[in-house]
Amino acid sequence: MEFQLIRHGVIDSTSERAFESLADGSAIHGDVHLARGQTAGRGRRGRSWHSAPDEGIYMSVVLLPGPPALKPTALTIAVGLAVVEALNELGLAPYSDRAPRLKWPNDVLVQGAKICGILTESRALDLDQPHYVVGLGLNLRQLHFPAELRAERPVTSLALLGIEAEADQVCDVILARLGSRLEQVRRDHRRLAEDYLDASDLRDHWVKVESGQETQFGRVCGLSLSEGLELEVPSGEPTTLPLEFIRSLEPLSEPGSGSQDSLG
Ligand code: BTN
């Protein structure tokens, strides 16, 4: 897959620019909007994304994959895996305590602290001509984070992990991994799901899942990007939770325990 880099200075939001290009018809599959900084960077659930100039990677990828429409969660998973691979290539050892891990569905963590967030969006999705904007924010040079951000969760950056890298280099490494991961969404989603279970440490783990209006506890037996998350609930019954209904997923230290191993 080819990517076209579109560079911006400090703008409101790379995802907003991507949506503008979709609205005016100039967007091409594989456009990558990359900004030095953002004044209105946004995260999941209406949160803002701290986007100080030259401190992080702020990029949004336009995807026009043609029908059938894809599941946003599958795209988020594919991009998350590409980021994990890129971080390993940049020097975070895959099998050490510095191995980057994925936290459902869109966070990349190192040693329990968030280093990258991913936000997949579409607006008024036309199933005959599906479009997606996948926004990715990665902490690069920050040595300090605002107190309100640290109060929410542990956060880290490549610099804090002792890795000095240029934004362009990090971008190149991510994009080099992204193409094949995005192709797996259509061509090999079983492999994508297996790799996700490995990179998130969820396989066989007990979890608490908020799905729709319900809270489910169970042991993760599998993941199917078409069917959903496969759980064995405490009664021994198998249950499959469709991905689009899963609002949160937290690992538990043991079956039915209220205490959670917080990943971030
Ligand atoms: C999250 O973890 O909540 C997702 C954060 C996504 C932030 C990125 S930065 C580039 C792109 N532009 C935005 O406004 N948001 C995404």
Side-chain angles (χ1 to χ4, degrees):
M1 168 171 183
E2 305 251 312
F3 295 104
Q4 304 78 236
L5 211 55
I6 301 159
R7 292 177 186 276
H8 302 276
V10 178
I11 55 170
D12 49 355
S13 154
T14 52
S15 293
E16 241 4 89
R17 287 303 156 96
F19 277 115
E20 279 169 23
S21 71
L22 283 161
D24 69 22
S26 62
I28 297 175
H29 181 60
D31 279 352
V32 178
H33 292 264
L34 180 69
R36 272 191 57 221
Q38 300 181 119
T39 53
R42 58 170 185 270
R44 272 180 95 217
R45 300 187 175 172
R47 294 198 184 105
S48 60
W49 185 261
H50 179 65
S51 308
D54 303 317
E55 298 254 290
I57 305 278
Y58 316 111
M59 64 152 85
S60 297
V61 184
V62 176
L63 298 173
L64 299 165
L70 303 171
K71 291 190 191 229
T73 309
L75 292 172
T76 300
I77 283 175
V79 177
L81 283 166
V83 172
V84 165
E85 288 168 340
L87 292 177
N88 284 332
E89 196 172 314
L90 288 162
L92 291 176
Y95 300 108
S96 71
D97 71 329
R98 280 157 55 99
R101 314 306 298 161
L102 291 171
K103 181 181 186 309
W104 185 273
N106 71 326
D107 292 351
V108 185
L109 311 179
V110 180
Q111 293 174 322
K114 182 162 172 170
I115 191 164
C116 173
I118 297 156
L119 180 66
T120 302
E121 301 174 284
S122 48
R123 290 181 183 162
L125 188 69
D126 174 351
L127 295 182
D128 293 326
Q129 281 182 299
H131 72 274
Y132 306 90
V133 172
V134 186
L136 181 160
L138 188 141
N139 301 329
L140 187 66
R141 291 226 179 89
Q142 297 92 334
L143 295 177
H144 306 281
F145 289 93
E148 68 270 17
L149 203 65
R150 281 184 283 118
E152 272 175 30
R153 54 159 69 241
V155 275
T156 191
S157 67
L158 279 180
L160 285 171
L161 292 162
I163 295 180
E164 299 296 332
E166 292 300 320
D168 279 1
Q169 177 198 0
V170 176
C171 250
D172 285 352
V173 180
I174 293 174
L175 293 179
R177 301 293 184 158
L178 196 55
S180 52
R181 284 299 183 182
L182 287 172
E183 271 158 29
Q184 283 180 329
V185 174
R186 281 241 161 100
R187 300 223 178 105
D188 195 4
H189 62 87
R190 283 190 184 79
R191 170 78 190 277
L192 206 55
E194 289 298 308
D195 289 351
Y196 181 81
L197 287 182
D198 289 338
S200 60
D201 285 331
L202 284 178
R203 197 190 301 281
D204 290 329
H205 272 75
W206 285 84
V207 292
K208 173 186 170 189
V209 187
E210 312 272 358
S211 173
Q213 299 307 310
E214 292 182 8
T215 302
Q216 294 265 9
F217 294 90
R219 190 174 61 81
V220 175
C221 308
L223 175 67
S224 154
L225 297 183
S226 50
E227 304 299 318
L229 182 73
E230 293 155 17
L231 291 185
E232 182 189 306
V233 298
S235 65
E237 288 286 305
T239 302
T240 302
L241 306 175
L243 301 185
E244 49 275 33
F245 296 151
I246 299 179
R247 290 184 289 112
S248 76
L249 185 156
E250 296 289 338
L252 298 173
S253 45
E254 58 187 67
S257 105
S259 69
Q260 296 166 20
D261 286 329
S262 173
L263 286 183

